[in-house]
């Protein structure tokens, strides 16, 4: 149990286009989902936290107008990179916190989406 | 300041050697959690262990063992008799409570190369 999927697993797009990445909790409901970004050979950095039905909370330095997050249901959160540029090329990972989890820190990570902007 | 420090950027060992990956953390919370994750070249994070701040008992799981010492704010990870399949980037992470959810802070990772 507690599987998180991401789609697509990789995407290549042209500069200036928008890309949507989906994060789904397959066998549980997620109250909170988190989006991380990992540049090559670097660590994971939290971008934003999204709660179902409310606006996402962005970390300092992350442009909310560029990285649109929608957590429309308890099993789906989407990250849209708008007007992507080559510097947005990165590995994007989502994680989900299970509804009703007794251990508040429990997060389940998705397999990641590799975005390459040409 | 870094909340989680993994001073070793890259380690190379020969198969069957033991290797220890260091992790030092910083927090003011009395309740927190520490994690180790493995990230193979595919990129997917593989959960290895979670330890809460009240449980300082060391843990062993097969060839893996963890040494948690609150006095030195360290949570080190040892692989005994390393194998080529252990080659990956290993991340240490700290989880603190922020409002009603937890926030993860990842270290910079240690790349382990195990050579045959």
């Amino acid at each position: 149990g507690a599987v998180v999927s991401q789609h697509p697993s990789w995407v290549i797009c042209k500069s200036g286009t928008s890309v949507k990445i989906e994060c789904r909790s397959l066998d549980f409901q997620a109250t909170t989902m988190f989006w991380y970004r990992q540049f090559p050979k670097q660590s994971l950095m939290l971008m934003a936290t999204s709660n179902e039905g409310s606006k996402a909370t962005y970390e300092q330095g992350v442009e909310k107008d560029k990285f649109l997050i929608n957590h429309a249901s308890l099993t789906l959160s989407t990250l849209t990179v708008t007007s992507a540029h080559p510097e947005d090329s990165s590995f994007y990972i989502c994680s989900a916190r299970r509804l009703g989890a007794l251990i508040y820190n429990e997060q389940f990570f998705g397999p990641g989406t590799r975005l390459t902007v040409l | 300041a870094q909340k989680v420090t993994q001073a070793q950027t890259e380690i190379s060992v020969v198969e069957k050697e033991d290797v220890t990956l260091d992790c030092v953390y910083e927090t003011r919370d009395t309740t927190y959690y520490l994690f180790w994750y493995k990230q193979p070249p595919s990129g997917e994070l593989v959960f290895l262990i979670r330890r809460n701040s009240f449980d300082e008992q060391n843990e062993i799981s097969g060839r893996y063992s963890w040494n948690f010492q609150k006095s030195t704010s360290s949570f080190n990870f040892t692989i005994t008799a390393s194998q080529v399949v252990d080659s990956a980037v290993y991340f240490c992470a700290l989880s603190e409570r922020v409002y009603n959810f937890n926030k993860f802070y990842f270290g910079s990772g240690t790349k382990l190369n195990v050579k045959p």
Side-chain angles (χ1 to χ4, degrees):
Chain A
V3 178
V4 176
S5 70
Q6 284 185 239
H7 178 79
S9 54
W10 59 270
V11 56
I12 301 173
C13 70
K14 291 182 179 180
S15 187
T17 61
S18 294
V19 175
K20 180 185 283 187
I21 302 171
E22 291 185 350
C23 175
R24 292 182 184 274
S25 55
L26 297 185
D27 51 0
F28 67 99
Q29 292 181 317
T31 49
T32 307
M33 288 185 169
F34 306 84
W35 286 96
Y36 295 84
R37 179 168 54 185
Q38 184 182 26
F39 290 111
K41 298 185 179 181
Q42 293 188 28
S43 187
L44 285 76
M45 299 299 294
L46 180 65
M47 298 176 65
T49 302
S50 73
N51 291 292
E52 184 264 338
S54 60
K55 289 184 178 181
T57 301
Y58 291 80
E59 294 298 301
Q60 196 170 17
V62 178
E63 301 175 59
K64 60 181 180 181
D65 293 331
K66 182 170 184 61
F67 298 99
L68 302 179
I69 292 173
N70 186 342
H71 193 158
S73 76
L74 285 173
T75 59
L76 174 64
S77 176
T78 59
L79 167 67
T80 301
V81 184
T82 61
S83 186
H85 291 288
E87 55 266 29
D88 298 323
S89 298
S90 187
F91 192 54
Y92 293 86
I93 303 174
C94 74
S95 69
R97 179 191 169 203
R98 181 159 40 188
L99 175 66
L102 296 178
I103 304 175
Y104 70 84
N105 70 87
E106 201 169 43
Q107 282 190 28
F108 302 97
F109 287 84
T113 296
R114 195 165 300 280
L115 169 63
T116 302
V117 184
L118 303 176
Chain B
Q2 281 272 41
K3 281 196 172 274
V4 180
T5 301
Q6 293 180 256
Q8 304 149 308
T9 305
E10 188 165 352
I11 301 175
S12 292
V13 298
V14 177
E15 206 169 20
K16 296 184 184 178
E17 285 185 7
D18 298 348
V19 59
T20 296
L21 309 182
D22 298 333
C23 174
V24 175
Y25 63 93
E26 180 184 331
T27 180
R28 292 181 181 179
D29 286 5
T30 54
T31 302
Y32 54 90
Y33 289 78
L34 296 164
F35 299 78
W36 275 96
Y37 289 90
K38 175 181 179 180
Q39 187 178 45
S42 64
E44 183 163 0
L45 286 177
V46 177
F47 168 79
L48 296 178
I49 190 172
R50 173 182 61 229
R51 174 66 78 225
N52 74 56
S53 53
F54 298 107
D55 182 4
E56 286 192 74
Q57 191 171 9
N58 292 329
E59 182 160 336
I60 298 175
S61 176
R63 297 185 296 108
Y64 296 168
S65 63
W66 292 269
N67 184 345
F68 176 27
Q69 295 198 351
K70 286 179 76 171
S71 60
T72 56
S73 296
S74 65
F75 187 43
N76 297 338
F77 172 33
T78 297
I79 301 175
T80 304
S82 59
Q83 299 175 3
V84 173
V85 292
D86 296 327
S87 296
V89 179
Y90 290 86
F91 289 99
C92 179
L94 165 71
S95 172
E96 293 179 330
R97 187 155 187 164
V98 177
Y99 299 113
N100 64 340
F101 63 87
N102 55 298
K103 188 169 180 178
F104 273 58
Y105 300 90
F106 285 85
S108 53
T110 297
K111 184 177 182 182
L112 175 63
N113 302 307
V114 182
K115 302 175 182 176

